[in-house]
């Protein structure tokens, strides 16, 4: 991964590392969630009008494919035919639509693009994923789970669920098994009280079981879920349960550590719980937040750490090593805490730089592993960042900051990308940090790798210029990203149903 592919030139906007020096001093945190940023509008493309919904465009002149980004109980497979039986070089909406690979140059990575073809309610539906399992990449939304061929985006299988999704873990199990929450009916007010196994390797459904109601107050419209080992942990307000991914039998129910109620989970190689702790005879506003590691098989506590009053856990940036972002609304600041394997505080520092609300939790009350712009190795956190704002979340993360997990101090940061191009660290591979650089004015998206020592960069992938408009539709405020096997996958966080003159971009990929 650290070798530059033959035929690749330098990144479209090269940047040099800038020495760090920021330490654990108290910096003012960033502001609200991501919103759109300026992006390329190629002169050759027909002007399009943005319509309500993530990634949906109304086209003029009959050419739907011309994109432009606005400035700044058991379910069974349907057996439906593939949406696109073409060669994968277009967006999957017909032979006369725009080709994101038009004018592709030697060494550039070929792009495939798929639009949503599923009928949806008027407000559309949120998407989850993407997950790569072998030669298939999977996405989930509303009442279906779909697998696309990694190489060209053709639909390989589609699984229909009886009722809508209402809880989806960030990651499946190591064996490609995903357990999702599903509603008891199609009603918008239906309770989320069942969980369903989906095998992402085959596109088939498995067991489906109810989530036992522990009291008459144990109801929820959504579930917070995480998978660790053979356990899927399910959280809803004040209650939690653990189930076997293999057969769906319940492993544990709600536990109250020091009187603290469950709130959410983060999963992966470890199972991390987030709890609310309410001191006796004190108002709920005085609640404190606890981070705790659980035994996935029993739900028993291994250790716990309680934050000071006024601090709210926002995101789990990494599970191993455990790195947590928290914010203090009244103080208008946020911090990063790194923990040792046995739960001791390794370092804790107020951040002098800003990040998106998706990465410190500001303005986002769910999805505790939904920061797609942070990754850690044994000693360093790499996170997409920018200048601290007046609030606790910023719009543009134009650089990458490396934070020493042993000291909490900033080690280095890259120079800011020009033209509004955000940078999102995605993985550490072969000793280097893989970073997605979003499209900007006159520039298509790319992927680079950074040296963990000083942030110096090498190019990995460059998409064609014609793909910039389509890439720009995958807005920072909702996009979901995966890097796997040398390919980048972008998933729009929300899509609309198909209409005669409306394009709703669903998933895009480029790579080797």
């Amino acid at each position: 991964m650290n070798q530059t592919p033959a035929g690749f030139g330098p990144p479209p906007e090269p940047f040099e590392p800038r020495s760090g020096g920021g330490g654990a001093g108290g910096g003012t945190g960033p502001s609200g969630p991501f919103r759109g940023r300026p992006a390329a509008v190629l002169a050759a493309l027909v002007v399009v009008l943005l319509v309500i919904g993530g990634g949906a465009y109304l086209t003029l002149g009959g050419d739907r494919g011309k994109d432009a980004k606005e400035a700044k109980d058991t379910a069974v497979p349907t057996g439906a035919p593939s949406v696109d039986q073409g060669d994968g070089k277009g967006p999957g909406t017909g032979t006369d639509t725009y080709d994101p690979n038009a004018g592709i140059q030697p060494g550039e990575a070929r792009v495939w693009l798929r639009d949503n073809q599923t009928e949806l309610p008027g407000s559309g539906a949120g998407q989850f994923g993407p997950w790569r399992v072998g030669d298939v990449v999977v996405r989930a939304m509303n009442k279906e789970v779909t697998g696309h061929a990694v190489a060209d985006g053709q639909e390989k299988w589609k699984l229909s669920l009886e009722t809508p999704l209402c809880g989806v873990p960030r990651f499946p199990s190591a064996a490609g098994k995903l357990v999702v929450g599903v509603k008891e009916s199609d009603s918008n007010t239906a309770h989320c009280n069942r969980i369903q196994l989906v095998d992402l390797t085959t596109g088939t459904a498995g067991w489906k079981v109810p989530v036992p109601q522990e009291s008459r107050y144990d109801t929820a419209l959504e579930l917070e879920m995480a998978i660790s080992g053979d356990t899927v942990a399910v959280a809803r307000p004040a209650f939690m349960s653990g189930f076997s991914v293999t057969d769906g039998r319940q492993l544990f129910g709600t536990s109250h550590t020091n009187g603290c109620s469950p709130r959410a989970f983060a999963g992966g190689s470890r199972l991390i719980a987030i709890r609310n702790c309410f001191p006796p005879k004190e108002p709920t506003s005085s609640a404190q937040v606890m981070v705790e590691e659980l035994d996935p098989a029993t739900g028993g506590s291994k250790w716990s750490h309680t934050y000071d009053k006024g601090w709210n856990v926002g995101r789990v940036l990494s599970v191993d090593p455990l790195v947590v972002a928290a914010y203090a609304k009244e103080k208008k600041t946020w911090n990063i805490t790194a923990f040792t394997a046995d739960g001791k505080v390794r370092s804790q520092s107020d951040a002098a730089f800003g990040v998106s609300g998706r990465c410190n939790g500001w303005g986002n009350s769910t999805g505790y592993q939904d920061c797609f712009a942070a990754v850690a190795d044994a000693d360093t956190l790499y996170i997409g960042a920018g200048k601290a704002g007046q609030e606790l979340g910023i719009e543009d993360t134009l650089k990458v900051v490396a934070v020493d997990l042993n000291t909490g101090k900033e080690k280095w940061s890259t120079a800011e990308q020009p033209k509004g191009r955000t940078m999102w660290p995605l993985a550490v591979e072969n000793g280097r940090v893989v970073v997605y650089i979003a499209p900007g004015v006159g520039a298509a998206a790319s992927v680079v790798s950074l040296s963990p020592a000083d942030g110096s960069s090498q190019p990995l992938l460059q998409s064609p210029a014609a793909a910039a408009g389509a890439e720009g539709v995958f807005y920072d405020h909702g996009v979901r990203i995966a890097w796997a096997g040398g390919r980048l996958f972008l998933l729009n966080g929300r899509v609309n149903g198909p209409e005669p003159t409306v394009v709703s971009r669903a998933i895009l990929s480029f790579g080797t």
Side-chain angles (χ1 to χ4, degrees), residues 362-375:
W362 174 248
N364 294 260
S365 60
T366 60
Y368 286 84
Q369 285 185 281
D370 279 358
C371 173
F372 291 85
V375 65

Side-chain angles (χ1 to χ4, degrees), residues 42-65:
L42 301 180
L45 301 183
V46 176
V47 176
V48 296
L49 299 176
L50 178 67
V51 296
I52 296 174
Y57 281 83
L58 173 66
T59 60
L60 303 178
D63 190 348
R64 328 174 38 225

